[in-house]
Amino acid sequence: MHLGAEPDVGKNQRKTRASEIWRTFENLITVCEEEKIDLLFIAGDLFHRQPLLRELKEVDHLFGTLSKTRVVLIAGNHDYIKSNSYYRTFEWSPNVTMLDSDSVEYVEFEHLDTAVYGLSYHERENTEPVYEKIRIHDSCRHHILLAHGGDEKHFPFRKAVMQQMGFDYIALGHIHKPGALIPDYMIYSGALEPIDKNDIGKHGYVKGELTNEGCRTTFVPFAKREYIHLELEIEEHMTGFEVRKKIQSEIEANGTQNIYRVVLEGFKEPEIVFDFGGVDVYGNITEIEDNTKPAYDFYHLLQKNRGNLLGKYIESFGDASPDTIEYDALCEGVQALMETSGSRT
């Protein structure tokens, strides 16, 4: 969930984006109630940092409105249970179970013949492979694990080992992008709303049905906005005005509600200087990276300046390829020499 996060945003969304994460969370609670979901799992990082007491009360009120759904959650590396954490003393609604121990514990739901296992972070980093040591109890027919981590500093585990442990489903947290390690069995739901410019792609939640025949899951896109890396190829003849219009057109085509990092590639005329002031008409651009190179006619420049400093500099690079550091150095050096001497192409 990452409630309380301050996401990477464009200028027009700074005041609203943090509250949107809460609104999406409220909408998810509404879905659980309308669809009479049995169990809602939160596999860590309900909050982006240590929760305030008033925030826990807000969340618990929402959980308490659920007439059928039971909630099971653990603390992750972002909202780990510090010595003074409000998690330690907070009294949740009767339909909420927090597996707050730093060792594996489980809760049984007799009416579902299901046990849910998990543990909470009490430190920001944990390097022990504790999940691989879990032993399943035989008191229930179905067994589900909430696991947060998977890298070397956050409860590492081996997929092959986890697959043999006997769980019916493993709900994974920690990685912000959704993805199935093993379809219908071991899945990172990802963050409900993307919070970082690198959290590209669709975000939402995993909806599953567990029966005696096995587990079937579906990823449900649910986020209000999406981070998109927009790579645009710039043509040599294009002016700064044309580039701004191209950026605006691409954003309109991909959705003005989304948030963009724009990367410009290709070549431009050496005299052109792109001015990006006013390009962010929708206020949803976090960054514009200009990787374009000046389209110098090095053959023409060499013939015109053979024997002088500029010509010798060009000649020293031989046939540098446009996709190399040498070519970048060639362009920058030529530009500097020409600006110093007042030369033109």
Side-chain angles (χ1 to χ4, degrees):
M1 297 295 182
H2 287 277
L3 299 172
E6 297 181 359
D8 293 331
V9 291
K11 64 182 180 180
N12 283 2
Q13 297 167 353
R14 287 175 183 153
K15 294 181 179 179
T16 61
R17 189 68 183 122
S19 63
E20 281 184 348
I21 297 176
W22 280 89
R23 302 294 82 77
T24 301
F25 173 55
E26 293 175 10
N27 293 341
L28 180 64
I29 298 300
T30 299
V31 169
C32 289
E33 179 65 12
E34 291 178 346
E35 298 187 10
K36 302 303 179 186
I37 297 297
D38 292 309
L39 294 168
L40 169 62
F41 302 130
I42 300 175
D45 292 347
L46 172 61
F47 291 92
H48 193 62
R49 35 86 181 138
Q50 293 296 309
L52 304 174
L53 181 58
R54 61 176 174 80
E55 293 174 325
L56 284 175
K57 291 180 177 180
E58 292 286 349
V59 166
D60 186 59
H61 170 75
L62 290 170
F63 287 155
T65 63
L66 295 168
S67 59
K68 181 182 180 182
T69 306
R70 304 292 185 90
V71 181
V72 186
L73 69 149
I74 57 177
N77 62 301
H78 277 269
D79 59 351
Y80 69 99
I81 303 178
K82 299 174 66 173
S83 59
N84 60 348
S85 173
Y86 287 113
Y87 274 145
R88 291 183 177 272
T89 56
F90 190 76
E91 294 188 14
W92 296 95
S93 294
N95 66 320
V96 181
T97 300
M98 183 172 192
L99 303 176
D100 56 9
S101 174
D102 59 356
S103 58
V104 176
E105 56 183 336
Y106 66 98
V107 57
E108 295 181 351
F109 299 97
E110 294 182 3
H111 67 296
L112 298 173
D113 203 9
T114 299
V116 181
Y117 299 67
L119 60 83
S120 284
Y121 278 61
H122 285 232
E123 302 287 342
R124 190 179 298 276
E125 295 182 354
N126 295 271
T127 60
E128 294 296 318
V130 295
Y131 295 125
E132 295 185 0
K133 302 174 184 178
I134 297 175
R135 295 294 178 265
I136 289 178
H137 298 264
D138 295 329
S139 54
C140 292
R141 181 180 182 87
H142 301 297
H143 303 273
I144 296 171
L145 172 64
L146 305 189
H148 190 94
D151 60 41
E152 61 182 9
K153 293 184 178 180
H154 302 93
F155 289 136
F157 57 76
R158 292 167 292 177
K159 182 175 69 172
V161 174
M162 301 286 274
Q163 190 174 12
Q164 301 300 320
M165 295 182 66
F167 287 102
D168 294 281
Y169 182 72
I170 300 176
L172 295 174
H174 182 55
I175 304 300
H176 293 180
K177 295 180 182 180
L181 296 185
I182 302 174
D184 292 330
Y185 177 73
M186 193 175 184
I187 301 176
Y188 282 105
S189 65
L192 189 62
E193 283 276 354
I195 61 173
D196 181 273
K197 63 185 177 184
N198 293 315
D199 292 347
I200 60 176
K202 301 292 183 183
H203 282 69
Y205 60 88
V206 174
K207 181 179 179 180
E209 182 178 16
L210 180 60
T211 68
N212 293 336
E213 284 70 45
C215 186
R216 294 292 179 268
T217 61
T218 303
F219 177 75
V220 182
F222 203 65
K224 294 181 180 296
R225 306 182 195 276
E226 181 180 342
Y227 284 101
I228 296 177
H229 287 186
L230 198 59
E231 293 191 5
L232 302 180
E233 189 70 22
I234 302 305
E235 299 175 17
E236 181 179 337
H237 62 80
M238 296 179 71
T239 65
F241 175 80
E242 289 177 301
V243 171
R244 291 196 301 273
K245 294 298 290 183
K246 184 178 180 71
I247 293 173
Q248 181 178 339
S249 176
E250 290 292 333
I251 287 176
E252 290 172 351
N254 286 276
T256 57
Q257 80 280 6
N258 295 318
I259 306 169
Y260 294 87
R261 175 177 178 264
V262 180
V263 179
L264 305 181
E265 303 285 354
F267 293 86
K268 64 181 178 181
E269 293 186 2
E271 295 87 354
I272 293 292
V273 177
F274 293 145
D275 177 9
F276 296 118
V279 70
D280 191 11
V281 294
Y282 297 107
N284 58 354
I285 298 176
T286 62
E287 178 185 1
I288 298 179
E289 181 178 329
D290 184 4
N291 292 335
T292 58
K293 297 178 175 65
Y296 288 113
D297 184 344
F298 289 116
Y299 177 80
H300 173 78
L301 282 175
L302 179 59
Q303 298 305 313
K304 185 177 179 181
N305 295 277
R306 190 177 294 278
N308 64 24
L309 181 59
L310 178 58
K312 291 179 179 179
Y313 184 80
I314 295 172
E315 202 168 23
S316 70
F317 281 87
D319 297 323
S321 172
D323 296 326
T324 64
I325 296 176
E326 288 78 10
Y327 188 87
D328 293 339
L330 172 59
C331 291
E332 292 181 11
V334 167
Q335 184 174 357
L337 288 170
M338 293 181 66
E339 289 175 353
T340 301
S341 64
S343 300
R344 298 178 58 85
T345 55

